[in-house]
Amino acid sequence: MKLVLAIVSNDDSSIVSSALNKEDFQVTRLATTGGFLRAGNTTLIVGVEDDKVDACLEIIGRECKKRTEVVPSTASYDIGRHVSFPVEVPVGGATVFILDVEQFHKL
């Protein structure tokens, strides 16, 4: 058995968890915050049998859309002088960790 930890955008989390549920994967959702943009993310926790890991990854990859967003950025040119300008950054997709599970108990 494997434990899949998938960090996805809040924009994609409902679609991904619904698609996983539709294929009989049980999903736990945790609200998390990303580091770079400090944007809201969702970490999906899925217990998966070894032979179903590829199917789980395929669903996550299919439903997590990569896109770009324009975010404000600032540059400092002098003491007390800051200029704000928009920067386009890639967002979306998924970061996935797959861990071996030694034991699993449903109590």
Side-chain angles (χ1 to χ4, degrees):
M1 178 167 244
K2 304 289 186 194
L3 181 66
V4 175
L5 300 174
I7 303 165
V8 302
S9 168
N10 279 348
D11 296 337
D12 297 328
S13 65
S14 293
I15 295 168
V16 176
S17 59
S18 293
L20 288 166
N21 287 151
K22 187 183 273 187
E23 297 297 322
D24 295 324
F25 291 102
Q26 295 181 355
V27 181
T28 299
R29 295 169 52 168
L30 298 175
T32 54
T33 303
F36 176 62
L37 296 176
R38 291 188 174 51
N41 291 323
T42 300
T43 299
L44 304 175
I45 303 172
V46 188
V48 181
E49 294 298 333
D50 290 350
D51 61 333
K52 304 272 187 182
V53 171
D54 290 338
C56 181
L57 289 174
E58 193 275 324
I59 293 167
I60 294 167
R62 180 182 70 224
E63 301 299 336
C64 289
K65 308 296 185 216
K66 286 190 176 184
R67 54 200 167 274
T68 59
E69 288 185 7
V70 177
V71 298
S73 178
T74 59
S76 177
Y77 291 107
D78 201 334
I79 296 175
R81 296 173 115 202
H82 298 281
V83 176
S84 180
F85 55 93
V87 175
E88 203 170 90
V89 295
V91 296
T95 301
V96 181
F97 299 91
I98 301 172
L99 309 165
D100 289 324
V101 174
E102 193 170 311
Q103 291 186 26
F104 169 74
H105 303 279
K106 193 167 187 175
L107 306 173

